[in-house]
């Protein structure tokens, strides 16, 4: 009896493992180019008819050229290549970004709720920081990376990049989701809409309400 229960538990765990470990769902066809205009809502996007899905959806030149990092208060510019920018990745569980940094620029502390990230620095010098969960004692992992060096960020962990060099820096990252999502931690806390009550943030951050209001005023215009 005990043995059969254990056997059932082991078989159930083996059957569930791929589901629990998967990122986006597995595709059931070669390509499913996203029909971004569809009114039907599914987990991802419905496929365009294969007759209208041409080669242009499988290739992209968008990250060949980055944006101007000094046009942003963070001193960084993200060129996104998720499914909305690259419909060919629909259902394939992958996407990319290019990020350009001015000297002293940062991609501020953020979290991807749906993807692990791997990145390659292609020019400049970037401090990459990752903060572990409470389980790790909030351990801060960091390294300055230069062209050709890589990093990995487990799904759900807060991380940032900061250009510590004198010149512009660039990195290219990929995700194991067509739609990794992003939670910018400062913006989420201080620029939500409607705002989180100041009393809540003052208590949580152990500071006076004026300090919270000052920070909120910095995020009034978004990012
Ligand atoms: C970098 O961390 C990015 O999410 O683009
Ligand atoms: Mn990231």
């Amino acid at each position: 009896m005990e043995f059969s229960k254990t056997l059932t538990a082991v078989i159930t765990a083996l059957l569930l493992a791929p589901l629990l470990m998967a990122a986006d769902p597995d595709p059931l066809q070669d390509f499913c180019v996203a029909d971004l205009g569809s009114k039907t809502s599914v987990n991802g996007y419905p496929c365009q008819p294969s007759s209208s899905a041409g080669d242009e959806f499988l290739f992209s030149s968008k990250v060949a050229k980055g944006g101007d990092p000094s046009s942003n208060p963070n001193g960084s510019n993200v060129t996104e290549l998720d499914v909305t920018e690259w419909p060919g990745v629909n259902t394939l569980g992958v996407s990319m970004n290019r990020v350009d940094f001015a000297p002293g620029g940062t991609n501020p502390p953020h979290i991807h709720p749906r993807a692990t990230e791997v990145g390659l620095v292609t020019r400049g010098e970037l401090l990459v920081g990752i903060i572990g969960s409470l389980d790790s004692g909030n351990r801060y992992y960091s390294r300055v990376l230069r062209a050709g060096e890589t990093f990995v960020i487990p799904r759900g962990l807060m991380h940032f990049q900061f250009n510590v060099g004198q010149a512009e820096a660039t990195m290219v990252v990929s995700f194991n989701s067509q739609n990794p999502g992003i939670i910018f931690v400062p913006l989420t806390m201080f620029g939500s809409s409607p705002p989180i009550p100041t009393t809540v943030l003052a208590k949580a951050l152990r500071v006076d309400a004026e300090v919270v209001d000052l920070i909120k005023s910095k995020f009034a215009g978004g990012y």
Side-chain angles (χ1 to χ4, degrees), residues 78-80 96-99 101 107-108 110-112 117-119 128 151 153 159-161 171-175 180-182 184:
V78 182
T79 307
E80 270 182 304
M96 298 177 77
N97 274 353
R98 167 183 172 146
V99 190
F101 300 81
N107 190 16
H110 65 276
I111 293 163
H112 303 290
E117 170 179 332
V118 288
V128 179
F151 59 87
I153 296 169
H159 58 285
F160 65 84
Q161 293 88 13
M171 66 177 193
V172 176
V173 301
S174 25
F175 302 98
I182 189 153
F184 280 116

Side-chain angles (χ1 to χ4, degrees), residues 121-152:
V121 177
T122 57
R123 61 172 182 154
E125 291 174 85
L126 283 180
L127 169 68
V128 179
I130 307 164
I131 299 89
S133 66
L134 203 55
D135 296 355
S136 71
N138 295 321
R139 180 159 169 200
Y140 170 55
Y141 307 84
S142 72
R143 186 168 291 187
V144 173
L145 298 181
R146 296 181 178 81
E149 297 185 306
T150 56
F151 59 87
V152 61

Side-chain angles (χ1 to χ4, degrees), residues 54-207:
D55 291 0
E56 70 273 23
F57 295 108
L58 306 178
F59 306 100
S60 169
S61 309
K62 282 199 177 134
V63 299
K65 203 160 110 10
D68 174 10
S70 50
S71 63
N72 180 301
N74 297 321
S76 69
N77 189 294
V78 182
T79 307
E80 270 182 304
L81 256 194
D82 63 11
V83 66
T84 60
E85 297 294 327
W86 196 8
V89 302
N90 190 42
T91 75
L92 298 180
V94 292
S95 58
M96 298 177 77
N97 274 353
R98 167 183 172 146
V99 190
D100 292 281
F101 300 81
T106 186
N107 190 16
H110 65 276
I111 293 163
H112 303 290
R114 292 181 288 276
T116 288
E117 170 179 332
V118 288
L120 168 72
V121 177
T122 57
R123 61 172 182 154
E125 291 174 85
L126 283 180
L127 169 68
V128 179
I130 307 164
I131 299 89
S133 66
L134 203 55
D135 296 355
S136 71
N138 295 321
R139 180 159 169 200
Y140 170 55
Y141 307 84
S142 72
R143 186 168 291 187
V144 173
L145 298 181
R146 296 181 178 81
E149 297 185 306
T150 56
F151 59 87
V152 61
I153 296 169
R155 176 163 73 174
L157 291 194
M158 188 168 82
H159 58 285
F160 65 84
Q161 293 88 13
F162 185 92
N163 183 357
V164 290
Q166 302 298 313
E168 284 194 2
T170 298
M171 66 177 193
V172 176
V173 301
S174 25
F175 302 98
N176 65 342
S177 169
Q178 66 183 39
N179 185 20
I182 189 153
I183 298 168
F184 280 116
V185 177
L187 182 67
T188 305
M189 289 184 73
F190 297 100
S192 70
S193 173
I196 300 175
T198 295
T199 41
V200 174
L201 291 176
K203 184 74 178 165
L205 297 171
R206 305 173 190 179
V207 295

